[in-house]
Amino acid sequence: AWEALNNIAAAPGRPVVIVVNDNERSYAPTVGGLAQHLAALRTHAGYERLLGWGKQTLGGAGTPGRAVYRTLHAAKEGLKDALAPQPLFADLGLKYLGPIDGHDVPALEAAFERAKDHGESVIVHCITRKGLGYAPAEQDDEDHLHGVGAIDPRTGRPLRPGGTSWSAAFGRELVSLAAQHREIVAITAAMPGSVGLRDFAARYPERFFDVGIAEQHAVASAAGLAMAGLHPVVAVYGTFLNRALDQVLMDLALHRLGATLVLDRSGVTGDDGPSHNGLWDLAMLQAVPGLRIAAPRDVRTLHEELGEAVSITDAPTVLRYPRGAVAPTLPAVRRVGGVDVLREAHGAGVLLIAVGTMASVALEAAELCAAQGVEVTVVDPRWVKPLPGELVELAADHVLVATVEDGLRTGGVGATVAQALHEADLQVPVRAFGVSDGFPEQGTRAEVLAEAGLTARSVAEALVTAVPVGSSRPGRT
């Protein structure tokens, strides 16, 4: 926002009111120079209370008292400057009002009226407490119940205990890897607890960096750390990586640097709303040269693929997984090169390529298809960029190739598979199942997936329709 502040202040008389809601936190406690500056202002909020006391006490003391109060009020700006220096805002050409108790509605209204009447650009600095008035939120040290599901209103605890989350599973794996590899460091953008890095930060504080809500800086600093011989692991929400695409492209990929981006809440998240679905990464990152993307389907493959990612030193790697509890273990029947075969069909039918946790949907769809006489082989490529070459060989033995991913269809894994088959001169049709709209309506993950046709029944119905029983094998041109 610095560019915007600089631009706003450049034109005198621009009537813009900027409200700083200062509760000392983003998701986690705020960090950095601006946070320290606001903290200094916050600690000197006593002058407002002093003036309030003076107005009440001296105002009731007759003419002499009111005269004293007027003198004190006239000195307010000088008192403010002495107790709460404001060079940061003054140097930008912005007027400053505050600090103000953000829970005092009359005080807020008065401040906003003064700001509106000023006629120039004004910062209104409001002090609030996250979770104020609700004891469970006030006592929650991690994020003051920033994001909650169904809870007991008396205790703030979840009504239904959840299983191990993907975030927690990743955090455990990274701590274990860090004990073996001293070059591993971790970076977060103000969300150590939310992305599973709290234990890492406690165990290895000198190897942990919280850069605040600044994903671009997180990725750029990872490039610098990688150049110094370390292996940074940057953990962010999938949707927030969109902000740092330039740094992924020009700082990591261009210089072939070994850094790992862990995308929590990738794919359909549902409950957090349209802006928080991590639907873009599989399509967006396909264009980044040299970058590699892994999509674990369970804890076992998370362990394998994270270990593989941090061992790569000449290219950026990405590990993606959804929100929620980890999926049950889905063992492979066999491994062909880098591809896990999860279910093998009897005869030429459909090759169904499942991306990450969509493997369970693919397996269920395959069983439904089998009941209708259509045989389906289900595979998990594990690394979806670059695609394993074995996928082309497997595709040659089937009459239809289908992909199922909880990301955008446009430019996603399905489109990449179709291009790979075309370049291999393999005349096998490809059907891609994914999300067509990058901004689905608010709903649970299950509801959004159903709306996108990403349920086992929807996939099975489409495959049965597309593959007539008794279809012949394809061939190369």
Side-chain angles (χ1 to χ4, degrees), residues 223-267:
L225 292 168
M227 285 181 172
L230 299 172
H231 191 104
V233 176
V234 182
V236 297
Y237 282 8
T239 186
F240 297 154
L241 184 71
N242 304 341
R243 304 170 180 169
L245 179 59
D246 182 60
Q247 284 69 31
V248 173
L249 188 64
M250 295 299 178
D251 293 328
L252 291 182
L254 177 64
H255 300 290
R256 300 180 178 86
L257 296 174
T260 298
L261 307 173
V262 175
L263 306 187
D264 198 312
R265 289 162 169 78
S266 288

Side-chain angles (χ1 to χ4, degrees), residues 234-306:
V234 182
V236 297
Y237 282 8
T239 186
F240 297 154
L241 184 71
N242 304 341
R243 304 170 180 169
L245 179 59
D246 182 60
Q247 284 69 31
V248 173
L249 188 64
M250 295 299 178
D251 293 328
L252 291 182
L254 177 64
H255 300 290
R256 300 180 178 86
L257 296 174
T260 298
L261 307 173
V262 175
L263 306 187
D264 198 312
R265 289 162 169 78
S266 288
V268 173
T269 58
D271 294 325
D272 289 337
S275 66
H276 276 50
N277 285 303
L279 296 171
W280 298 278
D281 62 299
L282 288 173
M284 182 175 68
L285 296 176
Q286 291 292 337
V288 179
L291 180 138
R292 309 180 191 187
I293 305 174
R297 65 180 182 269
D298 53 26
V299 172
R300 180 181 298 174
T301 50
L302 170 66
H303 168 77
E304 293 176 355
E305 291 160 27
L306 181 60

Side-chain angles (χ1 to χ4, degrees), residues 201-233:
R203 186 78 63 88
Y204 303 109
E206 74 286 355
R207 296 160 64 181
F208 172 76
F209 305 96
D210 184 348
V211 301
I213 298 183
E215 287 79 9
Q216 293 172 306
H217 171 44
V219 176
S221 64
L225 292 168
M227 285 181 172
L230 299 172
H231 191 104
V233 176

Side-chain angles (χ1 to χ4, degrees), residues 138-392:
E138 292 182 357
Q139 295 162 9
D140 178 36
D141 292 333
E142 182 168 323
D143 63 5
H144 293 278
L145 299 187
H146 178 90
V148 296
I151 61 173
D152 181 334
R154 293 170 301 142
T155 65
R157 294 175 181 168
L159 291 177
R160 294 178 300 277
T164 300
S165 69
W166 280 99
S167 305
F170 155 69
R172 286 202 304 264
E173 293 294 337
L174 189 64
V175 168
S176 176
L177 282 170
Q180 305 166 44
H181 303 280
R182 295 180 60 84
E183 71 276 10
I184 291 177
V185 296
I187 303 173
T188 184
M191 306 175 72
S194 300
V195 296
L197 289 178
R198 190 173 296 280
D199 288 346
F200 186 100
R203 186 78 63 88
Y204 303 109
E206 74 286 355
R207 296 160 64 181
F208 172 76
F209 305 96
D210 184 348
V211 301
I213 298 183
E215 287 79 9
Q216 293 172 306
H217 171 44
V219 176
S221 64
L225 292 168
M227 285 181 172
L230 299 172
H231 191 104
V233 176
V234 182
V236 297
Y237 282 8
T239 186
F240 297 154
L241 184 71
N242 304 341
R243 304 170 180 169
L245 179 59
D246 182 60
Q247 284 69 31
V248 173
L249 188 64
M250 295 299 178
D251 293 328
L252 291 182
L254 177 64
H255 300 290
R256 300 180 178 86
L257 296 174
T260 298
L261 307 173
V262 175
L263 306 187
D264 198 312
R265 289 162 169 78
S266 288
V268 173
T269 58
D271 294 325
D272 289 337
S275 66
H276 276 50
N277 285 303
L279 296 171
W280 298 278
D281 62 299
L282 288 173
M284 182 175 68
L285 296 176
Q286 291 292 337
V288 179
L291 180 138
R292 309 180 191 187
I293 305 174
R297 65 180 182 269
D298 53 26
V299 172
R300 180 181 298 174
T301 50
L302 170 66
H303 168 77
E304 293 176 355
E305 291 160 27
L306 181 60
E308 293 168 11
V310 299
S311 70
I312 295 172
T313 59
D314 60 351
T317 54
V318 173
L319 197 76
R320 73 182 305 271
Y321 47 75
R323 177 185 182 184
V326 293
T329 299
L330 297 175
V333 175
R334 62 190 178 102
R335 181 168 290 179
V336 181
V339 178
D340 279 350
V341 179
L342 306 181
R343 183 185 189 278
E344 232 161 348
H346 305 291
V350 179
L351 178 67
L352 183 54
I353 301 170
V355 177
T357 56
M358 298 306 291
S360 59
V361 172
L363 286 169
E364 186 180 347
E367 294 299 326
L368 294 173
C369 287
Q372 298 295 316
V374 174
E375 290 294 336
V376 177
T377 296
V378 178
V379 298
D380 171 12
R382 301 175 69 252
W383 289 82
V384 296
K385 176 179 164 55
L387 288 172
E390 294 78 12
L391 281 180
V392 174

